[in-house]
Amino acid sequence: MSEVTQMLHAISAGDAVSSESLLPLVYDELRRQAARELARERPGQTLQATALVHEAWLRLSGAEDPGWKGRAHFFGAAAEAMRRILVDQARRKRSEKRGGGAERVDLERIEVATEADDEGLILVHEALERLEAHDPQAAALTKLRFFAGLEQREAASLLGLPERTAGRLWTYARSWLFREIQQNRTA
């Protein structure tokens, strides 16, 4: 059992000291996860990876009993927290038209892999919520692949799935989400 998993079990048992010791152990992985997530955003994104990690950590550690069942559950919860933070920010920007022409200055020179506008991010989020109600496992895989930026092998391992099964599930989830997003764009 990894040190992270041991700490998560201790936190679930009410050990406050383990809660304080967890962040240094998972910080680098959370930072990579946030950087992958932000790389999908538009260049105008003003949130930095460090700020996203800290905001997600506040949300994750704010619950009295987070009930994390292990490493995969914790990092899945972190991906969900980051997704919600980015969606909330996109909604604020859309409704308030904040930021004007401000551009994100990436101090660490992370290259943008793909661009997703605020409207697109919200459409994906809404479709993903519908997928979660329809097929929770496909939604969990999608969150890990799309929002956490994990490779198929990593996501399959975290979910306890064979890699080929994860591949089929990923193909299904993408086509399902594509259909849902197309229907909502035309509606």
PDB file of all heavy atoms in Angstrom, residues 1-13 15 18 22 25 70-71:
ATOM      1  N   MET A   1       0.856  -1.173   0.000  1.00  0.00           N
ATOM      2  CA  MET A   1       0.000   0.000   0.000  1.00  0.00           C
ATOM      3  C   MET A   1       0.903   1.237   0.000  1.00  0.00           C
ATOM      4  O   MET A   1       1.825   1.338   0.799  1.00  0.00           O
ATOM      5  CB  MET A   1      -0.893  -0.007   1.240  1.00  0.00           C
ATOM      6  CG  MET A   1      -1.950   1.066   1.220  1.00  0.00           C
ATOM      7  SD  MET A   1      -3.016   1.086   2.685  1.00  0.00           S
ATOM      8  CE  MET A   1      -3.686  -0.533   2.724  1.00  0.00           C
ATOM      9  N   SER A   2       0.627   2.168  -0.897  1.00  0.00           N
ATOM     10  CA  SER A   2       1.476   3.354  -1.002  1.00  0.00           C
ATOM     11  C   SER A   2       1.268   4.261   0.199  1.00  0.00           C
ATOM     12  O   SER A   2       0.280   4.170   0.927  1.00  0.00           O
ATOM     13  CB  SER A   2       1.153   4.117  -2.286  1.00  0.00           C
ATOM     14  OG  SER A   2      -0.070   4.800  -2.151  1.00  0.00           O
ATOM     15  N   GLU A   3       2.224   5.170   0.385  1.00  0.00           N
ATOM     16  CA  GLU A   3       2.155   6.108   1.500  1.00  0.00           C
ATOM     17  C   GLU A   3       0.916   6.998   1.385  1.00  0.00           C
ATOM     18  O   GLU A   3       0.265   7.314   2.377  1.00  0.00           O
ATOM     19  CB  GLU A   3       3.430   6.956   1.527  1.00  0.00           C
ATOM     20  CG  GLU A   3       3.593   7.783   2.764  1.00  0.00           C
ATOM     21  CD  GLU A   3       4.923   8.510   2.810  1.00  0.00           C
ATOM     22  OE1 GLU A   3       5.751   8.347   1.897  1.00  0.00           O
ATOM     23  OE2 GLU A   3       5.109   9.273   3.776  1.00  0.00           O
ATOM     24  N   VAL A   4       0.587   7.390   0.148  1.00  0.00           N
ATOM     25  CA  VAL A   4      -0.601   8.213  -0.075  1.00  0.00           C
ATOM     26  C   VAL A   4      -1.854   7.453   0.350  1.00  0.00           C
ATOM     27  O   VAL A   4      -2.718   7.987   1.053  1.00  0.00           O
ATOM     28  CB  VAL A   4      -0.698   8.653  -1.557  1.00  0.00           C
ATOM     29  CG1 VAL A   4      -2.031   9.322  -1.838  1.00  0.00           C
ATOM     30  CG2 VAL A   4       0.456   9.570  -1.924  1.00  0.00           C
ATOM     31  N   THR A   5      -1.961   6.194  -0.061  1.00  0.00           N
ATOM     32  CA  THR A   5      -3.127   5.384   0.297  1.00  0.00           C
ATOM     33  C   THR A   5      -3.231   5.218   1.808  1.00  0.00           C
ATOM     34  O   THR A   5      -4.315   5.319   2.384  1.00  0.00           O
ATOM     35  CB  THR A   5      -3.063   4.004  -0.398  1.00  0.00           C
ATOM     36  OG1 THR A   5      -2.941   4.222  -1.804  1.00  0.00           O
ATOM     37  CG2 THR A   5      -4.298   3.186  -0.119  1.00  0.00           C
ATOM     38  N   GLN A   6      -2.091   4.998   2.471  1.00  0.00           N
ATOM     39  CA  GLN A   6      -2.091   4.868   3.923  1.00  0.00           C
ATOM     40  C   GLN A   6      -2.589   6.148   4.587  1.00  0.00           C
ATOM     41  O   GLN A   6      -3.374   6.108   5.535  1.00  0.00           O
ATOM     42  CB  GLN A   6      -0.690   4.522   4.432  1.00  0.00           C
ATOM     43  CG  GLN A   6      -0.244   3.133   4.075  1.00  0.00           C
ATOM     44  CD  GLN A   6       1.213   2.874   4.441  1.00  0.00           C
ATOM     45  OE1 GLN A   6       1.942   3.787   4.821  1.00  0.00           O
ATOM     46  NE2 GLN A   6       1.639   1.623   4.317  1.00  0.00           N
ATOM     47  N   MET A   7      -2.133   7.283   4.081  1.00  0.00           N
ATOM     48  CA  MET A   7      -2.577   8.567   4.651  1.00  0.00           C
ATOM     49  C   MET A   7      -4.071   8.779   4.422  1.00  0.00           C
ATOM     50  O   MET A   7      -4.756   9.296   5.301  1.00  0.00           O
ATOM     51  CB  MET A   7      -1.790   9.717   4.036  1.00  0.00           C
ATOM     52  CG  MET A   7      -0.368   9.755   4.456  1.00  0.00           C
ATOM     53  SD  MET A   7       0.013  11.388   5.031  1.00  0.00           S
ATOM     54  CE  MET A   7       1.683  11.127   5.522  1.00  0.00           C
ATOM     55  N   LEU A   8      -4.553   8.410   3.232  1.00  0.00           N
ATOM     56  CA  LEU A   8      -5.977   8.576   2.942  1.00  0.00           C
ATOM     57  C   LEU A   8      -6.824   7.741   3.887  1.00  0.00           C
ATOM     58  O   LEU A   8      -7.872   8.191   4.360  1.00  0.00           O
ATOM     59  CB  LEU A   8      -6.265   8.219   1.484  1.00  0.00           C
ATOM     60  CG  LEU A   8      -5.697   9.186   0.443  1.00  0.00           C
ATOM     61  CD1 LEU A   8      -5.846   8.607  -0.952  1.00  0.00           C
ATOM     62  CD2 LEU A   8      -6.348  10.546   0.543  1.00  0.00           C
ATOM     63  N   HIS A   9      -6.366   6.520   4.183  1.00  0.00           N
ATOM     64  CA  HIS A   9      -7.085   5.675   5.136  1.00  0.00           C
ATOM     65  C   HIS A   9      -7.039   6.286   6.535  1.00  0.00           C
ATOM     66  O   HIS A   9      -8.039   6.253   7.257  1.00  0.00           O
ATOM     67  CB  HIS A   9      -6.521   4.255   5.154  1.00  0.00           C
ATOM     68  CG  HIS A   9      -6.860   3.465   3.933  1.00  0.00           C
ATOM     69  ND1 HIS A   9      -8.152   3.171   3.564  1.00  0.00           N
ATOM     70  CD2 HIS A   9      -6.065   2.921   2.980  1.00  0.00           C
ATOM     71  CE1 HIS A   9      -8.143   2.472   2.443  1.00  0.00           C
ATOM     72  NE2 HIS A   9      -6.882   2.313   2.060  1.00  0.00           N
ATOM     73  N   ALA A  10      -5.888   6.861   6.905  1.00  0.00           N
ATOM     74  CA  ALA A  10      -5.762   7.499   8.219  1.00  0.00           C
ATOM     75  C   ALA A  10      -6.678   8.717   8.315  1.00  0.00           C
ATOM     76  O   ALA A  10      -7.309   8.959   9.353  1.00  0.00           O
ATOM     77  CB  ALA A  10      -4.310   7.896   8.481  1.00  0.00           C
ATOM     78  N   ILE A  11      -6.776   9.477   7.238  1.00  0.00           N
ATOM     79  CA  ILE A  11      -7.661  10.654   7.226  1.00  0.00           C
ATOM     80  C   ILE A  11      -9.111  10.208   7.394  1.00  0.00           C
ATOM     81  O   ILE A  11      -9.879  10.816   8.138  1.00  0.00           O
ATOM     82  CB  ILE A  11      -7.471  11.464   5.928  1.00  0.00           C
ATOM     83  CG1 ILE A  11      -6.097  12.135   5.937  1.00  0.00           C
ATOM     84  CG2 ILE A  11      -8.569  12.499   5.753  1.00  0.00           C
ATOM     85  CD1 ILE A  11      -5.682  12.725   4.599  1.00  0.00           C
ATOM     86  N   SER A  12      -9.479   9.131   6.689  1.00  0.00           N
ATOM     87  CA  SER A  12     -10.849   8.605   6.813  1.00  0.00           C
ATOM     88  C   SER A  12     -11.136   8.153   8.238  1.00  0.00           C
ATOM     89  O   SER A  12     -12.279   8.200   8.692  1.00  0.00           O
ATOM     90  CB  SER A  12     -11.064   7.441   5.855  1.00  0.00           C
ATOM     91  OG  SER A  12     -11.036   7.906   4.530  1.00  0.00           O
ATOM     92  N   ALA A  13     -10.077   7.731   8.946  1.00  0.00           N
ATOM     93  CA  ALA A  13     -10.240   7.294  10.339  1.00  0.00           C
ATOM     94  C   ALA A  13     -10.229   8.475  11.311  1.00  0.00           C
ATOM     95  O   ALA A  13     -10.367   8.289  12.506  1.00  0.00           O
ATOM     96  CB  ALA A  13      -9.134   6.308  10.702  1.00  0.00           C
ATOM     97  N   ASP A  15      -7.668  10.992  11.490  1.00  0.00           N
ATOM     98  CA  ASP A  15      -6.336  11.455  11.872  1.00  0.00           C
ATOM     99  C   ASP A  15      -6.041  12.803  11.215  1.00  0.00           C
ATOM    100  O   ASP A  15      -5.776  12.887  10.021  1.00  0.00           O
ATOM    101  CB  ASP A  15      -5.292  10.420  11.450  1.00  0.00           C
ATOM    102  CG  ASP A  15      -3.881  10.782  11.884  1.00  0.00           C
ATOM    103  OD1 ASP A  15      -3.687  11.842  12.497  1.00  0.00           O
ATOM    104  OD2 ASP A  15      -2.960   9.987  11.597  1.00  0.00           O
ATOM    105  N   SER A  18      -2.422  13.349   9.550  1.00  0.00           N
ATOM    106  CA  SER A  18      -2.254  12.804   8.206  1.00  0.00           C
ATOM    107  C   SER A  18      -2.800  13.764   7.160  1.00  0.00           C
ATOM    108  O   SER A  18      -2.250  13.884   6.073  1.00  0.00           O
ATOM    109  CB  SER A  18      -2.970  11.455   8.078  1.00  0.00           C
ATOM    110  OG  SER A  18      -2.315  10.492   8.863  1.00  0.00           O
ATOM    111  N   LEU A  22      -0.629  15.095   3.879  1.00  0.00           N
ATOM    112  CA  LEU A  22      -1.003  14.581   2.564  1.00  0.00           C
ATOM    113  C   LEU A  22      -0.607  15.522   1.435  1.00  0.00           C
ATOM    114  O   LEU A  22      -0.088  15.075   0.414  1.00  0.00           O
ATOM    115  CB  LEU A  22      -2.511  14.306   2.514  1.00  0.00           C
ATOM    116  CG  LEU A  22      -3.047  13.766   1.184  1.00  0.00           C
ATOM    117  CD1 LEU A  22      -2.409  12.412   0.864  1.00  0.00           C
ATOM    118  CD2 LEU A  22      -4.557  13.646   1.239  1.00  0.00           C
ATOM    119  N   LEU A  25       2.770  15.220  -0.205  1.00  0.00           N
ATOM    120  CA  LEU A  25       2.941  13.967  -0.943  1.00  0.00           C
ATOM    121  C   LEU A  25       2.272  13.993  -2.316  1.00  0.00           C
ATOM    122  O   LEU A  25       2.763  13.388  -3.262  1.00  0.00           O
ATOM    123  CB  LEU A  25       2.367  12.794  -0.142  1.00  0.00           C
ATOM    124  CG  LEU A  25       3.150  12.357   1.077  1.00  0.00           C
ATOM    125  CD1 LEU A  25       2.401  11.261   1.814  1.00  0.00           C
ATOM    126  CD2 LEU A  25       4.531  11.871   0.683  1.00  0.00           C
ATOM    127  N   GLY A  70      -9.178   5.582  -1.460  1.00  0.00           N
ATOM    128  CA  GLY A  70      -7.853   5.226  -1.956  1.00  0.00           C
ATOM    129  C   GLY A  70      -7.342   6.274  -2.918  1.00  0.00           C
ATOM    130  O   GLY A  70      -7.968   7.312  -3.147  1.00  0.00           O
ATOM    131  N   ARG A  71      -6.188   5.983  -3.480  1.00  0.00           N
ATOM    132  CA  ARG A  71      -5.499   6.904  -4.379  1.00  0.00           C
ATOM    133  C   ARG A  71      -6.355   7.266  -5.597  1.00  0.00           C
ATOM    134  O   ARG A  71      -6.470   8.429  -5.959  1.00  0.00           O
ATOM    135  CB  ARG A  71      -4.179   6.257  -4.807  1.00  0.00           C
ATOM    136  CG  ARG A  71      -3.325   7.092  -5.679  1.00  0.00           C
ATOM    137  CD  ARG A  71      -2.034   6.313  -6.047  1.00  0.00           C
ATOM    138  NE  ARG A  71      -1.217   7.100  -6.916  1.00  0.00           N
ATOM    139  CZ  ARG A  71      -0.341   7.998  -6.529  1.00  0.00           C
ATOM    140  NH1 ARG A  71      -0.176   8.219  -5.239  1.00  0.00           N
ATOM    141  NH2 ARG A  71       0.369   8.678  -7.386  1.00  0.00           N
TER     142      ARG A  71
END
